[in-house]
Amino acid sequence: MEAQNNPPAKPGILQRLHAVLMPDYNRTATVYWWLMVALGGACLVYAGWEVHALPLSVLPQLLAGTALAVLAGFFPVRIPGSKNSFVAGEVFIFLLLLMHGTSAATLAAAGEAFIGSYRSSKRWTSRIASPTFSALAMSLAGHLMEATLGVVGSGGTAEAGVVLLVASAVAVAYWLLNTVFISLVITFKRNERFRVQDHLSSFGSVGIAYGGSALIAALLSLTVQQSGMGVLLGALPVVAMLLTTIHYFMRQQEAQETVRRSRMEAAEREAQQAARHVAALSDSERRFHNAFTHASIGMALVSFEGRILQANTALAGILGYERPDGLAQQPFSTLVAEDDRASLQASFEQIASRAVDKASLEVRCLDSSHAPLWASLNCAVFNEPDSETPCLIVQVQDISARRHAEAQLNHIAFHDGLTGLPNRGRFYTILSHALHTTKEDPEQHFALMFLDFDRFKLINDSMGHSAGDEFLIQVSRRIQDHMRPSDVVARLGGDEFAVLMHRMDDAKAATHLAERLQQVLRQPLLISGVAVTTSASMGVTFSSLGYTAPEEMLRDADTAMYRAKANGKARCALFDAALHTEVSNRLQLENDLREVIAKGELEIVYQPLFHIRDGHVRGFEALSRWTHPVRGPIPPSTFIPIAEEAGLIVELSDLMLVRACAQLRQWQELDPSLHHLKLQVNMSATDLAHSELFERVARALRATHFSPHLLTLELTESILMTGVEAALPAIEALRRLGVALAIDDFGTGYSSLSYLSTLPIDSLKIDRSFVHGMRMGSKDAEIVRAIVSLGATLGKSVVAEGIETVSQLGQLRDLGCEQGQGFHLSHPLKASEAQALLEAIVAERRHQHHPSFDTGMMPLTHH
C-alpha cells in the first residue's frame, strides 16, 4: 500500500537527455547504436594511429585518395530499381586498401560515408552512425582481405587473378556488412524481426557495382606495382571516363525505368478509372431509380413536348391516383389548373431551349377528382444513362398547407383581429392604390370618411373592455351592412374607422350617406344584455382636392371629424376649402412657432402671486406670449396645442424655465427683501412623460443659479392623474432636490383623496371658474370653502386663480385662502413692468410701508 502511494521517481539527467536527443530509440536500439559507434570510433582511432606511423612520402597519396573519395561522395549514382546508390569514390577507397592497407581505406570510407549522410540526413545520429559503421565494416573487410592474401600469398602472374577475385569479394563483403549494421538499427527501433531478404533485395546490381569498383582498383594497384605511380596519373582520366559512362548509363536506365513505371502506373490508373466510372454509372443509375421510385417527393420524367414518360409513387399519391402507371403518357399540363398552364409551358420551353438550366414555380394542380391543390414544381434537364434523348425531371411538392398558413398570416397581418376589417396598414395600401388610379383616370374620384364614436370611452369605463370589444364588433358589422359593396371599411385603431367610397366626389351624396349611417348607428345595440345607444362624429374629404399621399387624405378627414366633434358631435363635417385654409394656416403657424422657439423670441410675462391677508408679493407665475409679426397676438390656447402636436413643447418648456429662472434670479439681487421671491412654471403632459424631466429641470437650475426651493412646477389635475405613475420617480427626485409641485385648475378633474394624500403635492390652485361664481351661499363658494379646508387638512397651501373683484378677494380672505392672483390684483406684467413693481415695493418698504389691498397701496394694478 505504501509503494502504491509513493509518487513515481523523476527521470534522471541521462534519461531526460536521451528523450531530447534520441526520442525514437528504444533501449535495444540505443545500446546497439552506442556499441557500434564505439567500435567504429575505435577503428577510426586505430586507423589514424597506423596512418600516422607511415612514411611521409606516402601521405600525399593517402590525402589525394581520401580527397577523391570524399569529393565523389557529393555525386552519388542511383541504382535503377532500388533505393541504394553507388558512389565513384569506392574505387579510390579500394585502391587505398590495396596499396596502403586497411587503416588508409578505413579513414577514406568514413570520410565518404560522412559526406553521404550529411547530404541526405539532418539527424545527428545518422551523421555519426554512417561514418563509424562504415569504418567498422571497412576495418573488418580490410583485415579479412589481408588475412586471405596472406594465406594464398602474392607475387606471380597467377596471383594477380587471386588479388582481383579477393578484392571483388571483399568489396561485396564490405557492402554487406555496412548494410547489415545500418539495417539492424532500423530493425531494433521498430521492434521487428531481422530478415536478410528485406535488406538484400538489390544485391545483384549493388554487388556488381561494388565488385566492379574493386576490380578497377585492383587493376590500378597491379599496374602501379609494375609500372610506378606515373601510370596511375595517366589512368585517372580513363577511370574518370569509365565512371562517367557508368553514371550516364545508370541515369539512362533510371530514366527509362521511371518512364516505364509512369506508363504502367498511368495505364493502371486509366484502367482503374474506367472500372470506377463504369461502376459509378451503374451505381448512379441504380441509386437514381431507387431514389426516383421510393422518394417521398413527387417526381416525373417528362418529354420536352410535355408528355409524362414516368412517374413515381409519391406523385401518384399527391394527385390521388392509385398507381403511378395511371399518369404515364398523359400531358403534364392536364394536371395543372388552366390559369397556370401558360406559365408552366413557358418554363418547359425555356429549359428545352437551354435559356435556363432549371426553373421553379408554384401552380395549382388538379387531383384525380379535379380538386385544386397548391404544388411547388422544380424542373431541370435530365439525361438517362441508357438513353441518348434528354428529357425533363419535374419534382412536385404539395404546399397547400403552407399556402393556407400564408393566407391566414397575410389576413392576420393586414386585418384587424377583432372585427376582421382591413387594418391601418392594409387601408393605407388600398388608399394609396386608389390615389394612383385617380391620378391616371380622373373619372375614378372617391371620398374618404373618418368615423370616431362619441361615447366609446364611457362604454369601456362603465361596462368593461369585453363590452367595448363587443360594441366595436357590432358597429363594424352595421357599417359594412349599410355601405355599398364596392366601398372599403377599415378599423384604424381604437374606435376609429375609415370608409373609402369609390366613384363619389359629390358633397351632397357623401352627406346623404353619412346621415343614413348616423340613423343606423343610433339604433340601440344589445351589449352584455344592456341596450346601448351611440353616435359617431364623421369627417369626409374628397380625392378631387388633389391628394398625392394617403396620410395627407387621412389627416384631412380626421381634421374634418374633429370639426364635427367641436360642432356638437353626432354629425358629419366636410373638409372644404375653408377647413383646408384653416389647416394650412395651422401648418404655417407651426412652422412660424418652430422658428420663434429656435431663436428664443417667445415673450414671457409674469403674473404676480400675492399673499391675500397682507397683500405682499410672494412670487410670479411665468406665462408665455407670442406676438406674430403678421397676425398679431396668438393666444396660448392656440399655440400651446400646436407646440404639443408638433413635438415642440419640450423645447418651449425648457426655454420658459431657463429664461424665467434667470429673470427671477436677477430680481432677487435687487434687494435682500426680494430673496424670497418664488417662481411658478407650467408643465405639459409631454413634459411629465419625458424621460429626462429631472435632468432638464436640474440643468436649468444649475445654469441660472436659481434656488430649487423657490421653484414650483404646475401641472393640471388631469395630466397629473393620468401620467403620475410613470413620472413618479422623476417627481420624487425633484422633491428631494427641493422643487415644489402644484395642481393647477384644481376641482375640474377627478382627483381622489388617496392620490392627494400620497402624491408629493405642495399646493392646490383653485380653478378660476369656481372663483368667478363665488357669491354668498352659492355652490361655487361652497366648493372653494371645501378646497381650502381640504388643503388645510392635507397640509397643502391653497392658491386662488382669477380674482377679478373686491368681493371675491374678501370672500377668499374670510375663507382662509392664503394666496391668490387675478386681474383685480394685477394683470400679467412684462419683465420691465414687473421690475418696476418690485422696485416700488422695495422703496415703500424702505419707508416702513407695506402695500396691501386694504390700504390701496399696490403700486401697479391692472384691470
Side-chain angles (χ1 to χ4, degrees), residues 505-690:
D505 58 357
D506 184 3
K508 183 180 292 186
T511 303
H512 176 71
L513 181 61
E515 290 175 352
R516 187 179 65 187
L517 194 57
Q518 285 284 10
Q519 293 176 0
V520 171
L521 294 176
R522 288 193 188 99
Q523 297 176 10
L525 298 168
L526 191 62
I527 307 296
S528 300
V530 178
V532 176
T533 58
T534 186
S535 62
S537 297
M538 304 176 185
V540 179
T541 189
F542 302 93
S543 61
S544 56
L545 294 177
Y547 294 104
T548 58
E551 55 268 18
E552 295 175 355
M553 197 169 186
L554 272 171
R555 179 200 62 204
D556 289 350
D558 186 31
T559 300
M561 183 274 296
Y562 274 106
R563 170 60 62 86
K565 278 189 179 293
N567 291 339
K569 301 182 180 180
R571 63 190 64 210
C572 177
L574 302 181
F575 189 85
D576 53 14
L579 198 54
H580 180 73
T581 302
E582 181 180 328
V583 172
S584 299
N585 291 338
R586 186 181 182 89
L587 289 175
Q588 185 61 48
L589 278 178
E590 178 184 322
N591 293 331
D592 295 342
L593 180 61
R594 189 182 305 275
E595 183 177 356
V596 167
I597 293 176
K599 294 180 178 180
E601 295 179 351
L602 271 182
E603 184 182 3
I604 301 179
V605 295
Y606 302 88
Q607 184 165 25
L609 182 66
F610 294 92
H611 193 285
I612 291 179
R613 188 160 301 280
D614 58 19
H616 292 166
V617 175
R618 295 298 186 185
F620 294 89
E621 180 180 1
L623 303 170
S624 58
R625 294 291 184 266
W626 181 23
T627 302
H628 195 276
V630 177
R631 305 185 186 190
I634 308 295
S637 59
T638 299
F639 72 79
I640 293 297
I642 293 176
E644 290 182 339
E645 292 178 10
L648 301 172
I649 194 66
V650 172
E651 297 178 44
L652 175 60
S653 298
D654 288 346
L655 176 66
M656 290 282 298
L657 190 60
V658 172
R659 287 180 55 187
C661 288
Q663 183 64 76
L664 261 291
R665 179 62 180 163
Q666 180 182 343
W667 290 339
Q668 290 171 347
E669 297 297 325
L670 294 176
D671 189 80
S673 63
L674 300 179
H675 289 177
H676 70 281
L677 286 178
K678 294 186 177 182
L679 174 65
Q680 296 191 244
V681 179
N682 293 287
M683 305 298 284
S684 68
T686 305
D687 290 313
L688 187 64
H690 198 266

